[in-house]
Amino acid sequence: GAGVSQSPRYKVAKRGQDVALRCDPISGHVSLFWYQQALGQGPEFLTYFQNEAQLDKSGLPSDRFFAERPEGSVSTLKIQRTQQEDSAVYLCASSQLGEQFFGPGTRLTVL
Amino acid sequence: RKEVEQDPGPFNVPEGATVAFNCTYSNSASQSFFWYRQDCRKEPKLLMSVYSSGNEDGRFTAQLNRASQYISLLIRDSKLSDSATYLCVRNRDDKIIFGKGTRLHILP
């Protein structure tokens, strides 16, 4: 496809469960970003990759959050021991020359 | 002051009217700005970049005022389809900061 894709689109997890969210960026895009968007809020920056290098992870809220992009393309955001406050939409964006293109997001609900 | 601040609204505006909203920012370091639009339960999409010289795209005009540290978005002849949340975005060294967004409702 031409755009950024994310899977799953919806995820319901029990508190304490580990989850993995996948992002397929636009082919050839060097930069990849993860955001967390709570209801009624703007997206909050989590982490940023340039190719396979994670250049900024200052937005990750805790050490339960981990992101990787081992081959510089697909990225996975992993959340360990999920908590209710992790419930949000997780957006992935890839960019080339400044403009960011967002995926549809993964809506995570932690019960 | 937060890094990027916006009035959350909502702005309820009759169709055909002109509406404008601002976004203020802290930190005067060199950076670029954008307006994104986000429809309910959809992902954000780039509306336009913001330049000091002003940027116009059809009914939309964006402006950056570095002295007063704000950016603005003006929508003329508003349409029902303009109803959305408008997000102010700052990019500094690839550190992207979003505002919380301004909700706009265009009323028939």
Side-chain angles (χ1 to χ4, degrees), chain A residues 46-68:
Chain A
L46 292 177
T47 186
Y48 158 57
F49 290 86
Q50 197 168 85
N51 295 306
E52 69 278 3
Q54 190 174 18
L55 298 187
D56 189 340
K57 55 181 181 179
S58 62
L60 297 176
S62 78
D63 58 8
R64 297 186 295 104
F65 287 70
F66 172 76
E68 59 183 5

Side-chain angles (χ1 to χ4, degrees), chain B residues 3 5 8-9 19-20 35 60 63-64 76 90 96 104 107:
Chain B
E3 292 202 58
E5 285 197 80
V19 59
W35 283 105
F60 297 83
Q63 195 86 39
L64 166 61
R76 289 179 298 277
R90 187 208 80 191
I96 313 291
L104 175 64
L107 308 173

Side-chain angles (χ1 to χ4, degrees), chain A residues 4-111:
Chain A
V4 178
S5 61
Q6 291 186 246
S7 62
R9 292 292 312 277
Y10 302 91
K11 176 69 179 176
V12 178
K14 291 183 179 178
R15 191 172 57 180
Q17 187 178 350
D18 297 349
V19 299
L21 313 180
R22 177 188 169 107
C23 172
D24 284 81
I26 293 172
S27 178
H29 277 194
V30 168
S31 300
L32 185 146
F33 300 79
W34 282 100
Y35 297 88
Q36 179 190 61
Q37 187 171 25
L39 191 65
Q41 303 294 315
E44 296 275 354
F45 170 84
L46 292 177
T47 186
Y48 158 57
F49 290 86
Q50 197 168 85
N51 295 306
E52 69 278 3
Q54 190 174 18
L55 298 187
D56 189 340
K57 55 181 181 179
S58 62
L60 297 176
S62 78
D63 58 8
R64 297 186 295 104
F65 287 70
F66 172 76
E68 59 183 5
R69 194 186 185 197
E71 297 179 359
S73 178
V74 171
S75 178
T76 303
L77 176 67
K78 297 179 180 178
I79 309 174
Q80 297 176 323
R81 305 181 304 281
T82 52
Q83 303 295 314
Q84 284 188 321
E85 63 262 29
D86 299 336
S87 296
V89 175
Y90 290 85
L91 293 163
C92 173
S94 68
S95 77
Q96 193 85 319
L97 303 177
E99 180 180 351
Q100 295 207 341
F101 296 86
F102 283 83
T106 295
R107 183 174 297 275
L108 173 66
T109 302
V110 182
L111 303 177

Side-chain angles (χ1 to χ4, degrees), chain B residues 12-87:
Chain B
N12 296 309
V13 175
E15 190 176 9
T18 295
V19 59
F21 28 83
N22 291 341
C23 165
T24 57
Y25 64 92
S26 61
N27 193 324
S28 57
S30 177
Q31 52 203 323
S32 54
F33 296 92
F34 306 86
W35 283 105
Y36 275 71
R37 171 196 169 127
Q38 187 171 28
D39 293 290
C40 187
R41 293 184 171 268
K42 299 285 188 182
E43 70 273 21
K45 293 187 178 178
L46 180 66
L47 180 65
M48 57 200 309
S49 303
V50 186
Y51 307 119
S52 296
S53 56
N55 186 18
E56 186 173 320
D57 183 4
R59 299 182 293 108
F60 297 83
T61 301
Q63 195 86 39
L64 166 61
N65 186 315
R66 289 195 187 274
S68 300
Q69 296 188 210
Y70 73 87
I71 68 170
S72 62
L73 179 66
L74 179 79
I75 306 174
R76 289 179 298 277
D77 187 24
S78 53
K79 311 293 184 189
L80 294 176
S81 57
D82 295 334
S83 297
T85 296
Y86 291 83
L87 298 161

